[in-house]
Amino acid sequence: MESRPLPRCERSRREASPFREASPFMDKKRIVASVVVFFILAALFYLQYRHWQSFDWGTFWAQTHSIKKVHVLHGIALIYIAYVLRALRWKIFLKPVRPQVKTMALVSPTLIGFTGLALLGRAGEFIRPYLIARRTDLPFSSQLAVWAVERIFDVGAFTVLMVLAIFLPSALPAIPHPEYYVRFREGGFLLIGLVLVMTVGAIVIRRSGEPVARWVEARFGHLSASVGHKMAQKVREFGQGLDTIHGPVSMFWLSVVSVGMWYLIALAYQEVTHSYGVAGLEIPVSQLLILMGASMLGSMLQLPAVGGGSQMATIAALSSVFDVPPELAASCGILLWLVTFAAVVPLGLALAHHERLSLRKLSEESHRAEEVEIGGPPA
């Protein structure tokens, strides 16, 4: 069939749109990054396999099939409640500019956004703020700013729980390998230091955002004008996100919701580990924070839709820290990833289909919008 030329109005609309076709260079960067991650994960998997040369696949499948499914369902329910708390936290951020927005109106973009992250990897990380910006008729840059500030509350909330676990007498010191406790305590102090640095940085940017942005642009502009400009814009966006925290009451509720959300995630981990009915996996919540930390570190090496790094880090922690047999550790690590990370996919895809949304198109649009928001250096 012979293709017809677009009507003039359609051509004008597409030419005027800031959302032009994705750069082939960006696609190549993502492909190269995925290939590198794949080979790193393959090497780690090979080393793990050599370490577990006596791995028994029959035992693995038997233990996987013997789980108590009601515990797994409880874990999934807790993860979904945590997503609702994420939506509630975003509502608190939006209160100064969109006080009429309801929490339930933000649940759908939250679930679709995390579905995009699970299926597309880092390419889907901007879908959630992009959808919320569209639903609330706010600039995308303002929701990118909220997304950046949200990271501070996530790190801070996890640090609060981790510090409590480290210093409770009956928590981490009671792990099967107490020699690891010293390392975890050092890691806890590093987390505290990181949160303090982030807090001081946030206070400085909140009070003197524009001078800091100009300093960053001047400091790094000699490397590249575009790099300096983009870094300065990130500082300005972050300062804009901090402006959504209005007073101590807002700060209090944001902190409470964040800690509560991460505690629910820890309870979901406990439901999964206890679903096996094995003494070695009857791990208390305080010690499960180790698995959560390992999973978060491992998620830095993730392949779209299949993960990889998160599961391997969790399996390694179960095996080395808690003396869980290889077959059981592998089964539990995979199930934890499915419950805490991939369980959102079915409902997220259903919502996206109902709202006639394409995750891939949303990913492309959100990244183009982010490039447009940052822009190039001023002339």
Side-chain angles (χ1 to χ4, degrees), residues 27-64:
D27 290 337
K28 289 180 181 178
K29 283 177 63 179
R30 291 176 187 171
I31 292 172
V32 170
S34 295
V35 170
V36 171
V37 169
F38 172 78
F39 280 109
I40 293 174
L41 290 174
L44 292 173
F45 179 81
Y46 173 72
L47 293 173
Q48 191 70 62
Y49 175 77
R50 288 193 62 183
H51 181 63
W52 289 350
Q53 289 184 351
S54 60
F55 190 91
D56 186 345
W57 286 101
T59 302
F60 168 82
W61 290 115
Q63 291 175 333
T64 301

Side-chain angles (χ1 to χ4, degrees), residues 148-203:
V149 174
E150 189 187 46
R151 303 280 75 76
I152 290 184
F153 282 93
D154 282 337
V155 174
F158 180 77
T159 300
V160 168
L161 294 175
M162 194 69 186
V163 167
L164 288 175
I166 289 171
F167 293 105
L168 283 175
S170 60
L172 293 189
I175 59 178
H177 287 279
E179 64 270 17
Y180 282 108
Y181 176 66
V182 176
R183 300 181 189 177
F184 295 135
R185 187 174 58 184
E186 291 172 353
F189 286 130
L190 285 175
L191 274 176
I192 294 172
L194 175 62
V195 171
L196 289 175
V197 169
M198 293 170 66
T199 302
V200 171
I203 293 172

Side-chain angles (χ1 to χ4, degrees), residues 116-254:
L117 186 62
L119 295 178
L120 304 176
R122 296 303 175 192
E125 63 185 351
F126 292 151
I127 290 178
R128 182 163 54 113
Y130 180 71
L131 273 179
I132 293 175
R134 290 202 330 191
R135 301 286 172 85
T136 58
D137 194 26
L138 288 168
F140 180 48
S141 61
S142 69
Q143 300 315 290
L144 273 181
V146 171
W147 177 81
V149 174
E150 189 187 46
R151 303 280 75 76
I152 290 184
F153 282 93
D154 282 337
V155 174
F158 180 77
T159 300
V160 168
L161 294 175
M162 194 69 186
V163 167
L164 288 175
I166 289 171
F167 293 105
L168 283 175
S170 60
L172 293 189
I175 59 178
H177 287 279
E179 64 270 17
Y180 282 108
Y181 176 66
V182 176
R183 300 181 189 177
F184 295 135
R185 187 174 58 184
E186 291 172 353
F189 286 130
L190 285 175
L191 274 176
I192 294 172
L194 175 62
V195 171
L196 289 175
V197 169
M198 293 170 66
T199 302
V200 171
I203 293 172
V204 171
I205 293 175
R206 176 75 179 268
R207 294 181 176 178
S208 308
E210 187 55 35
V212 172
R214 289 198 299 267
W215 179 86
V216 168
E217 188 163 12
R219 179 68 179 81
F220 295 95
H222 71 282
L223 299 175
S224 168
S226 61
V227 169
H229 176 73
K230 288 181 179 180
M231 292 182 67
Q233 285 296 95
K234 291 290 186 182
V235 172
R236 294 186 181 99
E237 284 181 3
F238 185 67
Q240 185 181 0
L242 292 171
D243 289 339
T244 60
I245 306 173
H246 277 244
V249 174
S250 176
M251 182 72 179
F252 171 78
W253 284 115
L254 287 169

Side-chain angles (χ1 to χ4, degrees), residues 10-21 368 372:
E10 179 68 10
R11 290 201 308 270
S12 300
R13 183 185 67 80
R14 291 196 177 184
E15 290 169 2
S17 172
F19 304 135
R20 295 180 290 277
E21 290 300 318
R368 293 175 202 151
V372 170

